[in-house]
Amino acid sequence: MSNKTDETFVNQLLSQMTLEEKLGQLNQVNPGDRFDSSLLREGKAGSLINASGALTGQGFSDSGSAELSNHFQQLALESRLKIPLLFGRDVIHGFRTVFPIPLAQAAAFNPHLARQAASVAAREATASGIKWTFAPMLDIARDPRWGRVAEGNGEDPFLGAQMAGAVVQGFQGDDLSAPDALVACAKHYVGYGAAEGGRDYENGEISEPTLRDIYLPPFRAAVQAGAGTLMSAFIDLNGIPATANRRLLTDILRGEWGFDGFVVSDWESVKELIQHGVAEDEAHAARLALQAGLDMDMVSGVYLNTLGESLQRGKISIEEIDEAVRRILRIKHRAGLFAQPFTDPLRAPRDLLTPEARSLARDFARQSMVLLKNDRDLLPLKGFRRILLAGPFVHARGELFGTWTPDGRAEDVTPLDEALRQTAPNSVELWFAETSDLALHLAHHADAVVLLLGEHPARSGENCNISDLSLPPGQAEFVQAMAALGKPLALVVFAGRPLAITSQVQVVDAALYAWHPGIEGGAALGEILFGIASPSGRLPITFPRATGQIPIYYNRKNSGRPINPQGEFRTRYLDLPPSPLFPFGFGLTYTRFEYSNLTLSSDTLRGALAISAEVTNIGACAGTEVVQLYVRDLIGSLTRPIRELKGFQRITLQPGESRRVSFTLREEDLTFTRADGAFGVEPGNFHVWIAPDSQSGLPGKFRL
Ligand code: BGC
């Protein structure tokens, strides 16, 4: 929250600024090919996006680099008031050290690790002259057709909020002015994941209670963690584009939550208000956005070009412009840019791609992979002499990165086949085949087969939506043909989204979801396949049986005719079971856990309640369980979800070891948006579960 030094400094500076200089601060520029750098000397840009890839012909490297941003900064400091630039870039899941995609990070159910990864990314990005990242992406996603599901934390608001807080803290640290602190930008505010049909940029409708209870909580957590900025979403939400939505950008964000940083638009989304059909021209679009509470225009130029005239015509006030400038200067001041505008070029060689960063990336990849099936304990692979690894990913390098990795380099990645060789026991012979023909031929002579299939990163991410959640063309047939040979068969899926792999899961003995695991993904996978590490990820999003089941998510409402496979007039499909392929929270390990003795500290919650259960490792090896706490509010003034996640803990137990896992449930954990529009609790009966996933667990009851 604003402190006095920020405010005094900002107001003094503001009082010296001309209108043009003020509009310059609201303008974010993309230094592309025809970049006119006199803009910087004249103070007409407040921020540069992607100050890299630009000017490559002038001797600068093609990735974010300290030299390049120092060069631009020098020009900005030649302007009359010497206001430094804020350099922004998409540092989404790592910079040079690429961590697993955000959806995979969420699967680790380990916000602590996410925080550490974000702090590594912050160190690397700031060493390369970047001071602001367009992350974390906090869009709740209930539709995996949407390509951007890869960039977020999945479907759950509680997990999303935990991740949001951790990642913001990781990027920003305790002091935004530290040289290795990166200003966070929670995006895309808000409702972007509700794009109809999973088509990116499409419109969406979200009811008020769902907006408040499902879509907003991660953003609120980011604001509470001190996020310096937010980005407005492209979406037209309930008829008002998010970029011009005063209720979202001002009433809720500033009024209710006390946010004092600034909001940037998404790429040209201010100008796009014309396409949306709410603005008649650029000047109108700029006014609508500014008056809604949108402070910085990402690259459309319409703030710089039109707000001056709108002011002269009395259509906007100088106070409105001043307020936006103030918020931007406040963050620049808090980020220490006035005191330290340049980046020390000696940092990058020291701070990029350190062994510690790589080892964190490996740990994260290991913890994010989810074991979905493991019949007769095929995994870890033991006792096989010749193992065939086959499919399009066998030699993968950059393909392991996933979407949004402008600063990752494929040559930093050990190719998957090599990484697997390095992790396999010496006694095992590994064979590799990229094509199905070769694989089917070699398989006859192998003792076990592992298929490495899934989506290329270019099939997920921004505007990479698909209408059919099946594996890419040819892969399903490959699995069937391989399964017909009757060899022990494991399937590893690389993907940026849940894929509908129902028939493949049926015919293989084991299935492991590896997502896009990042720079150390190969080694992490090898460690899991060969039993050096044990899988411990859990699904952060429901896996559908078929595309037609979308939307399907665990925290649904019961309906008047709830799911019941036997009931004719119950909600159902004629051609599919009602349940998902795998529920939210699900994931196996190499051992088995038993849950027993659920205990509540009281049958009534007054202030807080302790809920605990005993978890025992009843298998033969050590393992990590993600113990989950769910509640259901049985009767409400509005219908309530059949389950809501309220807590989780990762615990590691040795064979035979038992531990009582305890959660505290507080009254405020049971708040929701009620029929009267207020946010609060309603007394009554609740169910509670301590569970290994969202569909099972030990049940209990209490009253509030
Ligand atoms: C995306 C944002 C991103 C921005 C800047 C947009 O197209 O929607 O997520 O931060 O570009 O690269």
Side-chain angles (χ1 to χ4, degrees), residues 28 49-50 88-92 133-135 137 139 148 151 185 187-188 192 200-201 231-234 264-268 298-299 404 462:
Q28 184 180 54
I49 183 170
N50 295 334
R89 192 166 170 83
D90 291 283
V91 183
I92 308 294
T133 175
F134 305 116
M137 196 278 217
D139 297 310
R148 303 200 80 166
E151 291 177 58
C185 181
K187 74 184 187 188
H188 306 82
Y192 189 35
D200 207 6
Y201 317 134
M231 183 187 294
S232 74
F234 283 128
V264 65
S265 74
D266 204 342
W267 192 275
E268 292 198 330
M298 183 183 280
V299 310
W404 273 129
E462 186 170 349

Side-chain angles (χ1 to χ4, degrees), residues 26-363:
L26 311 186
N27 187 34
Q28 184 180 54
V29 175
N30 174 28
D33 289 343
R34 286 169 295 134
F35 182 54
D36 172 10
S37 55
S38 61
L39 270 183
L40 305 182
R41 282 203 194 86
E42 292 163 12
K44 287 186 179 161
S47 167
L48 288 194
I49 183 170
N50 295 334
S52 67
L55 293 191
T56 41
Q58 298 181 32
F60 293 103
S61 70
D62 65 351
S63 182
S65 81
E67 290 85 354
L68 184 62
S69 53
N70 286 347
H71 161 77
F72 287 130
Q73 195 67 290
Q74 185 55 50
L75 298 177
L77 294 184
E78 287 166 21
S79 66
R80 192 180 73 92
L81 290 173
K82 308 185 189 338
I83 302 178
L85 292 164
L86 181 58
F87 294 97
R89 192 166 170 83
D90 291 283
V91 183
I92 308 294
H93 50 111
F95 187 77
R96 182 76 177 271
T97 305
V98 177
F99 292 97
I101 55 167
L103 188 60
Q105 295 194 15
F109 277 76
N110 190 344
H112 174 70
L113 213 52
R115 181 180 174 156
Q116 286 178 289
S119 110
V120 167
R123 194 173 337 114
E124 293 191 348
T126 52
S128 310
I130 308 299
K131 190 60 189 175
W132 181 26
T133 175
F134 305 116
M137 196 278 217
L138 301 177
D139 297 310
I140 295 291
R142 291 173 160 183
D143 190 339
R145 290 173 299 180
W146 189 49
R148 303 200 80 166
V149 69
E151 291 177 58
N153 296 305
E155 74 188 28
D156 184 59
F158 179 83
L159 177 60
Q162 301 289 310
M163 294 296 285
V167 172
V168 167
Q169 286 162 1
F171 283 140
Q172 298 196 160
D174 298 329
D175 173 9
L176 214 44
S177 73
D180 60 356
L182 188 64
V183 181
C185 181
K187 74 184 187 188
H188 306 82
Y189 186 71
V190 58
Y192 189 35
E196 282 173 3
R199 296 181 299 274
D200 207 6
Y201 317 134
E202 186 60 270
N203 314 317
E205 304 237 338
I206 304 178
S207 74
E208 182 66 13
T210 302
L211 180 69
R212 294 233 173 223
D213 297 345
I214 304 288
Y215 287 86
L216 285 174
F219 288 94
R220 183 168 201 182
V223 169
Q224 280 169 346
T229 72
L230 269 80
M231 183 187 294
S232 74
F234 283 128
I235 197 167
D236 162 357
L237 182 63
N238 303 337
I240 309 178
T243 296
N245 193 320
R246 188 170 165 87
R247 200 171 73 87
L248 297 175
L249 298 178
T250 298
D251 301 348
I252 295 179
L253 181 60
R254 271 93 182 207
E256 293 181 26
W257 300 351
F259 174 68
D260 74 347
F262 74 86
V263 179
V264 65
S265 74
D266 204 342
W267 192 275
E268 292 198 330
S269 71
V270 178
K271 194 164 156 186
E272 287 170 10
L273 294 175
I274 303 172
Q275 252 77 261
H276 276 295
V278 293
E280 59 194 18
D281 55 21
E282 294 190 353
H284 190 194
R287 277 194 321 265
L288 282 178
L290 181 80
Q291 293 185 321
L294 190 296
D295 307 299
M296 185 181 278
D297 167 17
M298 183 183 280
V299 310
S300 85
V302 300
Y303 271 20
L304 185 73
N305 298 337
T306 70
L307 287 179
E309 198 181 320
S310 293
L311 178 70
Q312 270 166 15
R313 294 180 169 204
K315 297 205 165 174
I316 55 170
S317 70
I318 190 66
E319 286 74 28
E320 285 166 333
I321 293 176
D322 282 355
E323 188 49 34
V325 177
R326 196 176 281 120
R327 291 169 182 153
I328 291 165
L329 294 178
R330 187 183 289 146
I331 294 303
K332 287 189 172 182
H333 187 249
R334 207 170 287 169
L337 283 174
F338 289 93
Q340 195 63 264
F342 294 108
T343 302
D344 174 1
L346 296 178
R347 273 187 59 199
R350 207 170 56 216
D351 285 353
L352 262 57
L353 211 59
T354 63
E356 296 75 35
R358 273 191 181 272
S359 114
L360 186 68
R362 186 180 300 195
D363 197 20

Side-chain angles (χ1 to χ4, degrees), residues 16 70 83 117 138 159 221 230 234 290 346 365 400 407 460 505 512 616 667 693:
Q16 300 169 46
N70 286 347
I83 302 178
L138 301 177
L159 177 60
L230 269 80
F234 283 128
L290 181 80
L346 296 178
L400 300 177
D407 300 287
S460 72
V505 168
L512 179 75
T616 308
E667 193 170 316
D693 63 60

